[in-house]
Amino acid sequence: MRLELEPQLDFSDVLILPKRSILESRKDVDITRTFTFRHTGKTWTGTPIIASNMLTGTFSMAHALSKYNMMTALHKHYPLEDLIEFFKHSDSNVLNNTWYSMGIVDKDFNKLYEVYERSGQKIEKILCEVANGYTNKYVESIKRLRVNFPESIIMAGNVVTGEMAAELILAGADCVRAGIGGGQMCLTRKIAGVGRPQLSTVIDTADAVHGLKGLLCSDGGCSQPADVNIALCANADFVMLGSMFSGTDECAGSVEEIDGKMYKKFYGMSSNSAMEDFYGGRDSYKASEGRTTLIPCRGSAALIAEELCGAIRSMCTYVGAEKLKEASKRATLIKVSNRLNQSYEKYTVGN
Ligand code: 5GP
C-alpha cells in the first residue's frame, strides 16, 4: 500500500480570481474553441460542452444543442435501425456535433460497422468508453478502433491519472474522457471506494494529454455553471454534462406528476434502473453503481445551453479573456474552504 498525502481538489474547493480586463462587454467574448484532432488532423469549432451519453444522449438533444454548436454523445442503447436513420438523414451540422458511443465487446464493433455501412456516413466522432479505462483489454480496443476507423476521431475513457490518459492517446485516442466517481448519479466512490476529485483529475490528465497533442474532456461532477468554468480554466478542452441536462424535454425518461408538479426520471447508466431498462436486470456478480432520481421538468435544453453560454462569457470577462482559449492562461484558481457551502440557496440551472 502507498499513501499519497498531496491534497486533491474538487471544483467546489476553488474560486476563480478576477483579473484586470480591457473587455467592454460580455458580448465581445468569443466562447468557441477550434480543435485539431491528433490522429486525423480534422478540426472542430464550437462551444466545448458535450451532453453525456446517459439519458441525456438523445437524437433530440443532438438537434437542440447543435444549434448552439455544442455536442451530444448519443447513448449506447439506441436500436441499430434508429441509429442508421439518424446518421443517414441528419444535417451536417448535427452530425458534426454528435459522438457515436460504444463499449468494447464484439457486439459493439459489429453495430458500429453496420451503422457505418448502412447509413453511408463515415462515423466521424466515436466515444468508446468503459467505467474503468485501466484494463489491457480496453487499451487493445482503442488500438483496434484506431486501426479499423483511421478517419474517425476517437474519445476514450474513463481514467483519472496522467499516465493512463497518455497511454490512451498513444493507443489511438484523440481525446481522453477523465473522471471516475464524480458524476452526480454515480455511486462508485460509495461502493468501490474508487475515484479522484475532479479538479485534480482535470489538471493532471490535461497536462499529460496536451503534451502529446491530445485533448481532454472533463466528465462528471458539474452541478452548476461555475463548475464548468472552473473545469475550462483548469485546462479541460471539453466538459461533459449529464445531470445538468437532466429533466429537460430532450432528455429521455418517463415523466410523472407528484403534487401537481411534473418530474422526469433520471438515472446513472450503471444503476439498477438502467440495467432493468436496457439489459432486463442486473448480473448478480455486479453491484449497482448508479443512483435513480426524479428531476423537476425544466423545459428545453436550449435554456440550459443559453445559460451556459452566458456563464462562460461572464467568466471570460472576469478574467479578461477575449477568447475562451485564453481563459486558462489568464485564470488563477484560489483554494477556498468550500464554495458550495457559501451559497445561501442551492442553485438550480434554469431557475
Ligand atoms: P454528471 O454530469 O451527471 O455529474 O456526470 C456525468 C457522468 O457520470 C457520465 O458522463 C458518466 O461518465 C458518469 N456516469 C453516468 N452514469 C453513471 C453510473 O451509473 N455510475 C457511474 N459510476 N458513473 C456514471
Side-chain angles (χ1 to χ4, degrees), residues 163-309:
E163 88 292 339
M164 198 62 216
E167 185 164 345
L168 293 178
I169 295 290
L170 295 174
D174 297 279
C175 179
V176 167
R177 199 173 79 159
I180 293 180
Q184 281 147 99
M185 293 298 112
C186 172
L187 288 176
T188 300
R189 289 182 188 170
K190 287 195 190 306
I191 303 286
V194 172
R196 185 176 191 190
Q198 191 62 13
L199 176 58
S200 292
T201 297
V202 170
I203 293 170
D204 186 12
T205 51
D207 180 57
V209 303
H210 289 159
L212 295 167
K213 296 198 169 10
L215 296 170
L216 195 274
C217 175
S218 169
D219 177 33
C222 289
S223 60
Q224 32 184 284
D227 299 330
V228 175
N229 280 332
I230 289 166
L232 293 169
C233 287
N235 265 324
D237 299 297
F238 296 97
V239 182
M240 184 170 279
L241 305 173
S243 305
M244 279 181 72
F245 283 116
S246 66
T248 58
D249 299 342
E250 291 81 359
C251 181
S254 53
V255 173
E256 59 185 271
E257 190 178 335
I258 302 171
D259 296 336
K261 273 189 128 186
M262 304 309 284
Y263 293 83
K264 199 171 244 193
K265 191 172 170 185
F266 188 61
Y267 51 69
M269 299 313 263
S270 311
S271 62
N272 281 333
S273 307
M275 307 283 180
E276 272 152 31
D277 283 358
F278 301 123
Y279 302 102
R282 174 167 57 89
D283 289 328
S284 57
Y285 69 91
K286 280 187 190 163
S288 155
E289 290 190 17
R291 293 175 216 275
T292 301
T293 186
L294 287 173
I295 306 283
C297 290
R298 45 184 157 161
S300 171
L303 297 174
I304 313 271
E306 276 165 22
E307 192 158 351
L308 286 167
C309 291

Side-chain angles (χ1 to χ4, degrees), residues 9-257:
L9 301 175
D10 238 320
F11 297 137
S12 58
D13 294 318
V14 297
L15 281 169
I16 305 164
L17 269 189
K19 209 163 250 179
R20 188 74 177 79
S21 164
I22 51 165
L23 277 164
E24 290 191 2
S25 158
R26 291 173 192 204
K27 280 205 303 283
D28 300 336
V29 178
D30 175 2
I31 58 166
T32 63
R33 300 265 341 239
T34 296
F35 296 118
T36 302
F37 296 94
R38 181 190 201 267
H39 293 279
T40 57
K42 289 181 180 169
T43 59
W44 174 85
T45 299
T47 298
I49 301 292
I50 311 178
S52 170
N53 59 332
M54 301 170 71
L55 294 179
T56 42
T58 60
F59 297 148
S60 58
M61 188 69 77
H63 281 274
L65 294 189
S66 66
K67 297 197 176 87
Y68 295 85
N69 285 320
M70 292 182 183
M71 295 171 133
T72 299
L74 299 177
H75 68 69
K76 294 175 187 168
H77 305 287
Y78 272 118
L80 176 66
E81 298 302 326
D82 293 4
L83 284 166
I84 291 168
E85 287 302 298
F86 174 83
F87 280 98
K88 211 182 216 171
H89 299 299
S90 297
D91 67 42
S92 58
N93 187 45
V94 172
L95 293 181
N96 187 34
N97 287 302
T98 300
W99 294 84
Y100 175 96
S101 309
M102 61 183 286
I104 57 168
V105 295
D106 284 343
K107 216 166 81 182
D108 297 312
F109 278 82
N110 294 341
K111 191 173 175 185
L112 172 62
Y113 283 122
E114 276 215 56
V115 176
Y116 188 100
E117 293 286 321
R118 290 180 48 207
S119 68
Q121 290 283 352
K122 298 197 165 80
I123 308 300
E124 198 183 62
K125 298 185 182 72
I126 302 172
L127 164 61
C128 179
E129 56 100 7
V130 289
N132 171 8
Y134 284 78
T135 64
N136 279 347
K137 184 169 179 205
Y138 181 64
V139 177
E140 290 309 312
S141 301
I142 295 301
K143 289 182 184 162
R144 175 179 172 191
L145 202 54
R146 173 50 63 221
V147 169
N148 288 291
F149 292 88
E151 291 175 49
S152 294
I153 294 156
I154 298 172
M155 187 181 332
N158 281 27
V159 298
V160 290
T161 50
E163 88 292 339
M164 198 62 216
E167 185 164 345
L168 293 178
I169 295 290
L170 295 174
D174 297 279
C175 179
V176 167
R177 199 173 79 159
I180 293 180
Q184 281 147 99
M185 293 298 112
C186 172
L187 288 176
T188 300
R189 289 182 188 170
K190 287 195 190 306
I191 303 286
V194 172
R196 185 176 191 190
Q198 191 62 13
L199 176 58
S200 292
T201 297
V202 170
I203 293 170
D204 186 12
T205 51
D207 180 57
V209 303
H210 289 159
L212 295 167
K213 296 198 169 10
L215 296 170
L216 195 274
C217 175
S218 169
D219 177 33
C222 289
S223 60
Q224 32 184 284
D227 299 330
V228 175
N229 280 332
I230 289 166
L232 293 169
C233 287
N235 265 324
D237 299 297
F238 296 97
V239 182
M240 184 170 279
L241 305 173
S243 305
M244 279 181 72
F245 283 116
S246 66
T248 58
D249 299 342
E250 291 81 359
C251 181
S254 53
V255 173
E256 59 185 271
E257 190 178 335

